[in-house]
Amino acid sequence: MASATSANLNAVRETMDVLLEISRLLNTGLDMESLSICVRLCEQGINPEALSAVIKELRKASESLKVQQQQHTKCHFK
Amino acid sequence: MAHWSTFDKETEKETKKLIKCISGMEDEEDQNFQLALKFTWSNFRFHRFLDVDSHKVERSISGIYEKLMVHSDLRKAESWMRLTDEFLNSPLPQTDGKKTDAHYSVLSMLFSLSGSPSNNDFTERPRIKEAEAEDCFDWAKYLMEGEDIDNGLYPDTPVWSEDESEDDDSQRPISREDSGIQLDRTPPEDQDNTNKTVPVTWTVGEPGARAWLEQHVVTPYWVTHSPRFPHSLHLHSNLLNVWDQHLYNTDPLYLPEEKAFVTETQVIRETLWLFSGVKKHFIFQQHDGKVSVRNDVVVTHLTSNCLRSVLEYIAVYGQAVFRLQRFIDEVTGCSSEPCPPGSLSSHNSKKGSEPPFRTYQAFVWALNKYFTSFKEELTTIERELICNDETMTLSAVLERLGPHLSQIKVLHKVFCTGVADVPPATPNVVRASHLLNTLYKAIIEYDSVGEASEQAVALLFSLWTETVRPYLEIVDEWIVHGHLFDPAKEFIIQRNKDVPVNHRDFWYATYTLYSVSETVESEEKLNDSASGSSGGDQSSSSRQLTMVSFLKPVLKQIIMAGKSMQLLRNLHCTEAESSEKSSRDAERKDLYTLFLESVQSRLRSQETSPTNTVTDDQATRRSLIKMQSIVAQHLEMENVHDPLLAINFARLYLEQSDFQERFSGGDFIVDRSSQSVTCQTFELTLRSCLYPHIERRYIECCGNLMKTLKKDYKLLEYLQAMRNYFLLEAGDAMYDFYTAIFNKVQEKESWQQPSFLNVQLQEAVGQRYPEDSNRLSVFLENMDPSRKKHPVNNLEVLTLSYKVPWPVDIVISSECQKIYNQVFLLLLQIKWAKYSLDTLRFSGEIRPTDKPCPSEAPAEDVKLKEPVHQQIHRMCLLRVKLMHFVNSLHNYIMTRILHSTGLEFQHQVQEAKDLDQLIKIHYRYLATIHDRCLLREKVSFVKEAIMKVLNLVLIFSDRWQAGFGAWKIESIDKMESDFKNCHMFLVTILNKAVCRGSFPHCK
């Protein structure tokens, strides 16, 4: 039983590695962690396009937040 | 949508993870995080996308393949086909089977994330790189490349361009250089680079030299991917690996992270360095003044979470140290180096652009002292660590530093509230008093905890004594030399520059007291507070929290002493006796030294009397028992049976009596909790060590000032002169003056000429008081035309003025003179009425009207002159009545009011301790006579009535003068009734008032 699970684990791990390569090739900008989260979400039935839209939006928002904070801190230092 | 509502919980968890992962926000309570979560949820639930279509995805895969082929990127194209194929045929974590919807949806998500592969923007970075062992093609290529050209496959060149390999070659040296110096890039990013560069840095030496180096030099653990140090394979020292293995086995998606291995010794040393203020570390990182722990540091024998929690605990203190250190640097930065604030008196030599803020400097000096000792401790620990004689663990070191750490925590807390939270634009006064207040409050706060925080109290107390030094020095300078030296404007009292000392406003307007409140900063003029504080507690209670609290009990004394001293200084400097003073000053101890000495002697007496303490303890216990029984009896009387309450009462009572003893005895100290400065004792320390010195100084200064004013500046004489002339106490001289005026009036001549009045005054006064004659003068003011109708008001144009020289004019101000003048006018009016009644003669006898005097020839022509006779009689009666009224009023005011009040006043003046009190007494005196002469607004109706009578007197005397014949019976009637009315009115009013007791002085 234990060997079966571990075999399955390894298979999944290999799948994830392959997927990471695909993701790199496509330049999605996802790292292993976010990729595995995405896979889990997809498996749970989240629409992939909605998911990608969310990711793009989140990236954009956090980017602008960072810029804001930087400006803020710059003002502080002035 | 129903099909995934079952996954809600799981999905939500994953969603949160996703948000954290992508946006980097860690705090789930964060508003932004919540927003993002909401957004994500709504997108997941309500979207407009179709479900995944496997055919479409297949088409996309082949489309991308074609595109890659078109771009002649065969390698990539092949890799692409193979990878996708492999993926579609592999199992997913939770989905069984191959080519399921989940597979396609994952791919579809990747497609939409990557955008179109033909789009150049997105195709810049994709590369065919294979880290996988199973991908033979890429692996081989990778190895080959690694061997001959080091690396550099991944410079920022567009990968899709045809001449990729050539570009690579040209970029190579640069990329190598990059990789060589990149020490703190995150591991995943240059994972491959560093793999090669580290050996490069390490193969510099000969093998032998390297062995030597490894023995004697610390492994450069700060370099990413430094070689692992050798360590035991014992299970206990490999907990991390065990734990990792476990994680790896249980979670298919667990990714072993890149870790930087360090030893515990290294962690300890970094900790010590962090505490000693070193800014650059490997384990601890600083960003904008925040110390954080590096994520990927591990030791072999602890799990990363465990190590992390310990390190984060350290980082908090590290940050406190860092902030304090930065503050020290900031403050000392402007004054080159920390020096004891005492030497700042020589700051004249090194004048900066702005004067140093001495309170902060003193605070920093105290902090610095503390840190010196702290660093000494750190150095000892590090030395022991280097010697390597005994085992040292991180927790042992932390335990050893425990007391210091808690002290640092206290310091940091004080610093945060006292210094860091103050907005930058705050004036120095506010900052200084805020800092002192914070320290003071902190001491009391920690004090109340009792012995648990003895060390904190001791530390804070020493900090406070240092910080308070500039203040005490300012106070000292002020109350000893009369010179408020405060270049940085940090003292709560500041001198107003525009008022010279020899000005009469000096006493009031020279100093501004800044009182700092917790929320609002307000400034108040000193005269308010000075007059208020001598009056009582009403003003001090209202700003309980606003002032530098430790000075509050003696603030009034300080202010008085300071002002007195300055005044005295100025008085003396005209007399030039400063040389004697300065010589005396040399051996004089300043306030701060005195304070420190007292504190020391106090503490020493606590330390050196342990035997005493024991007996005292016994004594107190005995008396405690006695008290307890007494209190218990008391309580029993009230039907309360509570032994605990009884004990507490007894203790309370004992403490109070103890307090009495200490306070009165001064040097006799009973302290049950030996060394600690407990709550009472802190305030008591101040009371017994600081306040007496100030008090003594205050008494001395003010006494001197009063003596000087009384002796050298004839204050009393001037006050006497005011009474002489304004209150007509110099009756003879003033009689000459006013009768001259009244005569003129009676002669119906114009008397309102300044020259005439002044000549009269000079003549009258000059004969008797020649020294005052040139001070006195009379002015005429323009009358309010509306009030001119009554003859009695004619006098109100007169203004008597007396030139009071400085400094006596501080006491006898022009406002005072105004009141004096009002009383003077009232007296003059009464005198006038009296005079005009007194001087009435029966000159009518010889008047051409031929009316005989009624009293002397009553029988003559009785029939004809009956009405005349009657008239005369009535006139006489009226005259007597009026005379009675005026005389009693005159007597009452002159004797009952002015004289007796004057005596009281003289008595009080003799006893006045300071100038403020004297001024107060004088004001009170003036207010009293002003009040009793009915000049107050509130009783103006009484005064009006009296004025009416006086007016009546004048009209009456006028009529009388006109002669008997000119009288009309109606006018006599009117006068009589008027007088009667007024009289009745006054009698009722005054009776009522007397009954009410509101005029205790009335007849």
Side-chain angles (χ1 to χ4, degrees):
Chain A
M1 186 67 201
S3 62
T5 7
S6 76
N8 189 33
L9 273 181
N10 279 333
V12 169
R13 213 164 266 138
E14 271 166 30
T15 317
M16 289 308 289
D17 285 337
V18 172
L19 197 60
L20 185 64
E21 285 316 304
I22 297 173
S23 148
R24 276 188 189 159
L25 201 147
L26 291 174
N27 190 24
T28 56
L30 295 173
D31 57 5
M32 193 50 149
E33 194 184 348
S34 38
L35 189 63
S36 40
I37 294 171
C38 289
V39 169
R40 272 194 288 256
L41 281 170
C42 284
E43 280 181 301
Q44 282 164 18
I46 302 292
N47 185 295
E49 285 175 85
L51 181 59
S52 67
V54 163
I55 289 174
K56 278 180 195 163
E57 206 55 45
L58 280 179
R59 277 177 181 164
K60 225 190 283 170
S62 69
E63 197 62 36
S64 66
L65 194 71
K66 257 176 218 160
V67 170
Q68 261 178 20
Q69 272 171 349
Q70 265 170 7
Q71 279 171 349
H72 197 62
T73 47
K74 265 180 200 165
C75 289
H76 258 292
F77 283 119
K78 274 174 198 170
Chain B
M1 300 283 142
H3 67 278
W4 53 270
S5 66
T6 47
F7 293 104
D8 267 5
K9 237 184 205 151
E10 198 69 9
T11 313
E12 176 154 359
K13 212 174 87 192
E14 294 298 330
T15 312
K16 278 180 181 169
K17 263 193 208 165
L18 179 76
I19 294 169
K20 277 180 200 167
C21 188
I22 292 190
S23 65
M25 286 185 286
E26 287 296 327
D27 182 15
E28 285 188 23
E29 303 303 314
D30 193 356
Q31 199 187 351
N32 288 328
F33 188 90
Q34 291 298 333
L35 272 178
L37 188 61
K38 242 188 228 169
F39 169 78
T40 312
W41 262 123
S42 75
N43 267 283
F44 284 172
R45 285 209 172 113
F46 316 108
H47 57 80
R48 53 189 166 73
F49 302 108
L50 295 174
D51 279 355
V52 192
D53 179 357
S54 55
H55 298 290
K56 226 172 170 183
V57 174
E58 293 278 9
R59 268 206 301 281
S60 297
I61 292 176
S62 55
I64 289 175
Y65 175 75
E66 260 172 45
K67 185 137 286 177
L68 291 172
M69 291 302 277
V70 166
H71 281 269
S72 332
D73 210 333
L74 297 176
R75 203 180 48 178
K76 227 172 251 178
E78 192 196 346
S79 178
W80 168 248
M81 270 327 263
R82 195 170 27 75
L83 283 171
T84 46
D85 188 50
E86 191 175 335
F87 171 71
L88 286 173
N89 290 307
S90 308
L92 278 175
Q94 283 159 10
T95 321
D96 290 332
K98 295 168 183 177
K99 297 195 176 182
T100 59
D101 274 356
H103 285 92
Y104 286 111
S105 80
V106 168
L107 280 182
S108 144
M109 181 207 69
L110 289 182
F111 291 156
S112 47
L113 263 184
S114 77
S116 157
S118 65
N119 188 340
N120 274 331
D121 284 356
F122 285 103
T123 53
E124 238 179 52
R125 266 188 53 187
R127 47 203 123 152
I128 309 168
K129 198 229 69 155
E130 250 337 77
E132 270 66 51
E134 81 270 5
D135 195 334
C136 312
F137 173 74
D138 277 333
W139 181 236
K141 175 102 175 145
Y142 169 71
L143 282 180
M144 249 166 58
E145 277 177 3
E147 266 181 20
D148 73 1
I149 51 164
D150 190 3
N151 69 15
L153 254 179
Y154 331 109
D156 303 333
T157 45
V159 179
W160 286 108
S161 56
E162 308 287 330
D163 47 358
E164 187 194 346
S165 51
E166 283 83 6
D167 263 7
D168 248 346
D169 287 333
S170 61
Q171 296 286 334
R172 215 169 295 134
I174 298 168
S175 71
R176 177 157 63 195
E177 216 169 56
D178 273 348
S179 60
I181 52 165
Q182 291 290 352
L183 290 188
D184 38 0
R185 264 213 235 153
T186 48
E189 211 175 282
D190 47 8
Q191 180 182 358
D192 309 282
N193 297 358
T194 42
N195 269 340
K196 269 121 221 162
T197 52
V198 172
V200 172
T201 49
W202 259 103
T203 49
V204 240
E206 299 293 311
R210 195 173 144 182
W212 184 88
L213 273 178
E214 273 176 1
Q215 268 184 355
H216 290 88
V217 177
V218 177
T219 340
Y221 58 88
W222 52 89
V223 180
T224 10
H225 288 266
S226 61
R228 299 256 178 107
F229 40 84
H231 71 278
S232 150
L233 292 175
H234 189 274
L235 178 69
H236 288 176
S237 50
N238 283 300
L239 185 62
L240 179 72
N241 287 343
V242 175
W243 178 247
D244 265 358
Q245 195 59 47
H246 170 72
L247 285 183
Y248 186 80
N249 288 341
T250 46
D251 184 1
L253 296 178
Y254 171 76
L255 321 161
E257 286 163 21
E258 278 306 313
K259 301 251 160 78
F261 283 88
V262 291
T263 61
E264 180 152 355
T265 318
Q266 284 160 354
V267 175
I268 294 174
R269 293 190 72 177
E270 287 239 342
T271 306
L272 295 180
W273 294 337
L274 177 76
F275 285 152
S276 54
V278 177
K279 292 205 173 76
K280 260 189 118 174
H281 302 279
F282 174 68
I283 299 177
F284 302 100
Q285 289 173 321
Q286 288 182 353
H287 298 289
D288 318 330
K290 278 203 171 149
V291 178
S292 56
V293 184
R294 208 184 162 93
N295 274 327
D296 52 350
V297 173
V298 285
V299 290
T300 50
H301 57 284
L302 288 175
T303 63
S304 58
N305 280 345
C306 175
L307 179 72
R308 204 179 156 75
S309 68
V310 175
L311 290 182
E312 268 167 359
Y313 170 76
I314 293 171
V316 170
Y317 289 109
Q319 179 160 356
V321 171
F322 174 70
R323 279 188 78 182
L324 289 170
Q325 199 72 46
R326 200 171 55 178
F327 173 64
I328 293 176
D329 290 346
E330 262 169 29
V331 173
T332 52
C334 61
S335 65
S336 68
E337 59 168 4
C339 53
S343 66
L344 282 170
S345 47
S346 65
H347 70 284
N348 289 336
S349 52
K350 46 162 187 179
K351 266 221 160 88
S353 57
E354 55 185 32
F357 184 16
R358 290 189 292 169
T359 306
Y360 271 16
Q361 281 184 338
F363 182 58
V364 160
W365 172 243
L367 281 181
N368 205 43
K369 262 193 190 161
Y370 172 75
F371 272 111
T372 316
S373 70
F374 179 54
K375 277 175 196 166
E376 267 168 25
E377 172 79 16
L378 290 178
T379 322
T380 0
I381 294 178
E382 190 168 3
R383 205 168 292 137
E384 283 169 28
L385 189 72
I386 292 170
C387 285
N388 221 352
D389 284 342
E390 48 191 274
T391 317
M392 275 228 192
T393 61
L394 189 56
S395 64
V397 169
L398 284 184
E399 195 164 333
R400 197 162 148 188
L401 287 175
H404 276 290
L405 292 184
S406 62
Q407 281 175 342
I408 282 179
K409 202 165 149 192
V410 169
L411 285 183
H412 186 243
K413 204 171 129 194
V414 166
F415 166 77
C416 281
T417 40
V419 179
D421 288 354
V422 179
T426 327
N428 283 355
V429 202
V430 182
R431 285 175 188 226
S433 44
H434 182 67
L435 175 61
L436 286 172
N437 267 344
T438 315
L439 278 172
Y440 186 84
K441 264 188 241 158
I443 293 177
I444 291 190
E445 203 176 286
Y446 281 102
D447 231 356
S448 52
V449 183
E451 293 177 21
S453 58
E454 253 172 48
Q455 281 197 320
V457 173
L459 172 71
L460 284 173
F461 187 71
S462 68
L463 214 63
W464 184 80
T465 44
E466 284 286 349
T467 314
V468 91
R469 186 175 177 158
Y471 254 51
L472 289 186
E473 278 172 354
I474 290 170
V475 170
D476 181 62
E477 176 79 15
W478 196 29
I479 64 180
V480 173
H481 301 289
H483 177 50
L484 187 63
F485 178 76
D486 181 19
K489 296 207 185 307
E490 58 198 281
F491 194 52
I492 41 168
I493 301 163
Q494 278 166 26
R495 196 182 187 309
N496 298 336
K497 284 274 178 291
D498 47 346
V499 185
V501 180
N502 52 0
H503 189 268
R504 56 165 292 269
D505 285 338
F506 163 77
W507 192 257
Y508 296 112
T510 322
Y511 295 99
T512 310
L513 176 71
Y514 290 89
S515 56
V516 187
S517 79
E518 301 288 286
T519 48
V520 201
E521 297 140 21
S522 61
E523 44 185 82
E524 292 167 45
K525 277 285 171 195
L526 180 63
N527 52 357
D528 302 335
S529 72
S531 51
S533 57
S534 54
D537 289 339
Q538 77 272 22
S539 62
S540 59
S541 65
S542 66
R543 63 172 98 86
Q544 200 102 46
L545 292 167
T546 58
M547 223 165 276
V548 178
S549 15
F550 81 97
L551 277 180
K552 208 179 70 201
V554 281
L555 188 65
K556 190 201 146 203
Q557 276 90 332
I558 292 175
I559 293 170
M560 293 311 303
K563 284 202 294 188
S564 302
M565 200 58 221
Q566 185 162 16
L567 194 59
L568 208 56
R569 262 283 136 130
N570 275 281
L571 297 177
H572 278 306
C573 82
T574 50
E575 291 165 26
E577 50 170 89
S578 52
S579 59
E580 181 242 343
K581 272 236 161 120
S582 64
S583 70
R584 205 183 56 190
D585 204 54
E587 62 224 37
R588 192 189 62 85
K589 285 175 181 167
D590 71 343
L591 186 61
Y592 185 67
T593 334
L594 282 173
F595 170 59
L596 281 191
E597 276 174 10
S598 310
V599 169
Q600 265 166 9
S601 70
R602 215 183 127 83
L603 293 178
R604 204 174 302 129
S605 72
Q606 285 173 1
E607 281 162 18
T608 55
S609 60
T611 53
N612 213 3
T613 329
V614 174
T615 52
D616 282 339
D617 258 353
Q618 287 166 349
T620 40
R621 201 166 302 135
R622 221 173 299 135
S623 49
L624 187 69
I625 295 166
K626 211 172 77 193
M627 284 305 305
Q628 190 190 342
S629 62
I630 296 173
V631 175
Q633 275 174 5
H634 266 280
L635 288 174
E636 266 168 40
M637 280 196 289
E638 290 160 29
N639 279 335
V640 183
H641 298 281
D642 188 349
L644 196 63
L645 193 65
I647 289 175
N648 278 328
F649 264 123
R651 199 179 286 276
L652 194 70
Y653 183 81
L654 261 185
E655 270 170 10
Q656 274 172 355
S657 63
D658 201 21
F659 165 85
Q660 288 287 340
E661 192 175 28
R662 272 184 220 177
F663 192 41
S664 52
D667 52 355
F668 182 67
I669 293 167
V670 197
D671 202 337
R672 279 177 297 251
S673 60
S674 57
Q675 300 158 334
S676 76
V677 191
T678 57
C679 184
Q680 300 160 332
T681 53
F682 177 57
E683 285 188 352
L684 279 174
T685 308
L686 282 184
R687 227 173 268 199
S688 63
C689 300
L690 178 61
Y691 298 167
H693 300 301
I694 293 177
E695 194 84 26
R696 207 175 305 135
R697 194 59 222 166
Y698 155 75
I699 290 169
E700 200 180 314
C701 282
C702 295
N704 271 344
L705 180 65
M706 291 308 291
K707 221 160 64 196
T708 316
L709 280 180
K710 282 178 188 166
K711 212 175 91 203
D712 300 340
Y713 291 92
K714 300 194 175 113
L715 178 70
L716 297 182
E717 280 80 353
Y718 283 111
L719 287 173
Q720 182 60 45
M722 293 306 284
R723 289 205 305 281
N724 276 348
Y725 305 120
F726 285 90
L727 306 186
L728 309 181
E729 275 188 15
D732 43 359
M734 293 313 283
Y735 181 79
D736 285 355
F737 170 63
Y738 59 72
T739 43
I741 300 175
F742 300 153
N743 277 331
K744 275 259 185 190
V745 179
Q746 229 156 36
E747 308 281 314
K748 307 261 188 250
E749 287 176 34
S750 148
W751 55 275
Q752 295 179 338
Q753 297 153 355
S755 57
F756 161 73
L757 291 169
N758 276 318
V759 165
Q760 285 301 327
L761 187 68
Q762 297 301 333
E763 266 181 17
V765 175
Q767 282 171 10
R768 293 166 186 88
Y769 306 97
E771 76 278 5
D772 285 335
S773 64
N774 48 0
R775 298 193 188 282
L776 272 170
S777 56
V778 181
F779 297 104
L780 287 171
E781 272 175 17
N782 285 333
M783 264 286 280
D784 188 4
S786 64
R787 304 195 58 187
K788 209 159 182 175
K789 51 191 180 227
H790 300 303
V792 76
N793 295 123
N794 282 341
L795 277 178
E796 281 171 14
V797 293
L798 273 182
T799 313
L800 193 61
S801 100
Y802 187 90
K803 276 196 216 92
V804 186
W806 182 83
V808 185
D809 61 355
I810 296 172
V811 182
I812 308 171
S813 59
S814 56
E815 291 80 28
C816 294
Q817 279 213 22
K818 258 181 214 147
I819 300 174
Y820 272 122
N821 208 54
Q822 283 181 359
V823 179
F824 172 68
L825 286 179
L826 178 77
L827 291 179
L828 218 54
Q829 285 165 338
I830 296 171
K831 289 275 183 196
W832 190 16
K834 187 170 151 54
Y835 180 83
S836 50
L837 280 177
D838 283 350
T839 52
L840 283 187
R841 301 250 189 279
F842 299 105
S843 46
E845 265 181 307
I846 48 166
R847 284 287 174 98
T849 48
D850 236 356
K851 301 292 176 285
C853 176
S855 56
E856 267 138 63
E860 201 183 341
D861 298 329
V862 180
K863 177 190 67 173
L864 191 121
K865 305 219 164 96
E866 186 52 38
V868 178
H869 181 78
Q870 251 184 8
Q871 280 180 12
I872 291 167
H873 185 65
R874 281 170 68 179
M875 286 294 273
C876 279
L877 280 179
L878 188 58
R879 182 192 168 202
V880 172
K881 273 187 198 158
L882 288 174
M883 269 176 90
H884 174 71
F885 179 87
V886 171
N887 276 336
S888 50
L889 181 70
H890 177 249
N891 274 344
Y892 166 69
I893 286 185
M894 290 307 280
T895 59
R896 296 282 298 274
I897 295 181
L898 295 183
H899 189 62
S900 55
T901 321
L903 286 180
E904 259 172 48
F905 168 62
Q906 271 170 319
H907 187 64
Q908 283 172 338
V909 165
Q910 290 298 339
E911 290 183 346
K913 272 211 235 36
D914 58 48
L915 190 53
D916 224 30
Q917 210 177 346
L918 186 71
I919 292 172
K920 199 102 191 118
I921 290 170
H922 187 233
Y923 260 116
R924 212 181 305 142
Y925 165 65
L926 282 180
T928 316
I929 57 173
H930 185 257
D931 195 26
R932 295 193 179 168
C933 290
L934 304 172
L935 293 171
R936 219 160 33 135
E937 278 298 307
K938 218 173 141 190
V939 290
S940 59
F941 57 96
V942 183
K943 193 204 165 197
E944 283 300 312
I946 290 174
M947 280 296 135
K948 239 181 211 163
V949 177
L950 294 183
N951 205 35
L952 199 66
V953 169
L954 293 182
I955 294 168
F956 174 78
S957 89
D958 212 33
R959 295 264 160 79
W960 186 291
Q961 300 278 352
F964 296 115
W967 303 341
K968 293 208 174 63
I969 194 82
E970 307 85 57
S971 70
I972 296 174
D973 279 346
K974 189 171 183 303
M975 281 196 285
E976 271 180 344
S977 68
D978 273 359
F979 176 66
K980 214 159 144 194
N981 284 343
C982 288
H983 189 75
M984 283 303 292
F985 172 72
L986 281 175
V987 166
T988 37
I989 286 284
L990 292 181
N991 265 343
K992 252 193 225 160
V994 170
C995 287
R996 248 189 303 152
S998 52
F999 297 121
H1001 53 278
C1002 274
K1003 43 200 164 179

